[in-house]
Amino acid sequence: MNSISVRALLVRGMIAGLIGGALAFAVAYLLGESQVDAAIALEEAHSHAAHGGAAEEELVSRTMQATGGLATALLVFGVAAGGIAALVVAYALGRIGRFGPRATAALIAGAALLTVYVVPFLKYPANPPAVGNPDTIGKRTTLFFLMVALSVLLAVAAVILGRRLAPGLGNWNATVVAAGGFILVIGLAYAFLPSFDEVGKDFPATLLWKFRLSTLAVQATFWTGFGLILGHLTERLLTPVAAVRRENEGAAA
């Protein structure tokens, strides 16, 4: 793929990420914010019962947090993640089998959802307000991003391993071996990295479950929307070029 196509694909990836971020915001606002409000109310009730007195004045209103703040965060994340993923798609086209632009974009989006969010989420799931020790926020955040980096690097290593084993074992067996290695090393990371169980006994389990499912739904919506939109835009970008190239080659022949 030439540099013009890479630049064009990067722009389309950012556009797809922007649209995916808008879809994720809609899901987060409709599904997640009610869980956050319930958790905040629970936290404030416990704080009043323990300390009494008036609540602290908010620097940013809850309405602004749930609308403008949330939208800005997801849209910026969408543009940044979309641009990076589009570069990965540009590199992967034609290198991971006989997949067209739509299938390649869908595979990369699915792999990103798995490695960037699902694998770290299973070890360090998201917590709503009123859950977790404030003194461990820094450590938990660091470990979460360490898990993200480890998951991405291991996924890349699994792809490389699968490609090298394919000539001798066949595509299916090589894929099984590479996936098994990925799962094994991730399992060891789960076992040896520290865990945190900071959910209070009085915190409603249903609220915690709904909150975590909503965060998973937000990420699933973003990466699904991104993959479908980028696949469509990539196909429209590359298919006419391929058709013209075939016509030129036929004329030259």
Side-chain angles (χ1 to χ4, degrees), residues 109-151:
L113 173 62
L114 177 66
T115 58
V116 175
Y117 191 77
V118 174
V119 170
F121 173 85
L122 294 176
K123 176 65 177 177
Y124 301 112
N127 288 329
V131 172
N133 183 357
D135 296 333
T136 64
I137 289 178
K139 185 177 182 180
R140 284 185 279 124
T141 303
T142 301
L143 287 171
F144 178 84
F145 283 107
L146 174 63
M147 198 70 218
V148 172
L150 181 62
S151 177

Side-chain angles (χ1 to χ4, degrees), residues 71-140:
T72 300
L74 288 174
L75 292 177
V76 170
F77 167 79
V79 171
I84 295 172
L87 295 178
V88 177
V89 171
Y91 176 81
L93 279 170
R95 291 185 171 93
I96 57 173
R98 297 180 179 179
F99 295 108
R102 289 179 184 267
T104 302
L107 286 172
I108 296 302
L113 173 62
L114 177 66
T115 58
V116 175
Y117 191 77
V118 174
V119 170
F121 173 85
L122 294 176
K123 176 65 177 177
Y124 301 112
N127 288 329
V131 172
N133 183 357
D135 296 333
T136 64
I137 289 178
K139 185 177 182 180
R140 284 185 279 124

Side-chain angles (χ1 to χ4, degrees), residues 27-60:
V27 173
Y29 184 79
L30 295 175
L31 296 182
E33 286 306 308
S34 60
Q35 317 304 328
V36 174
D37 289 337
I40 291 176
L42 186 63
E43 182 181 30
E44 291 177 348
H46 287 173
S47 178
H48 290 168
H51 305 289
E56 297 182 0
E57 183 179 356
E58 295 180 338
L59 296 178
V60 180

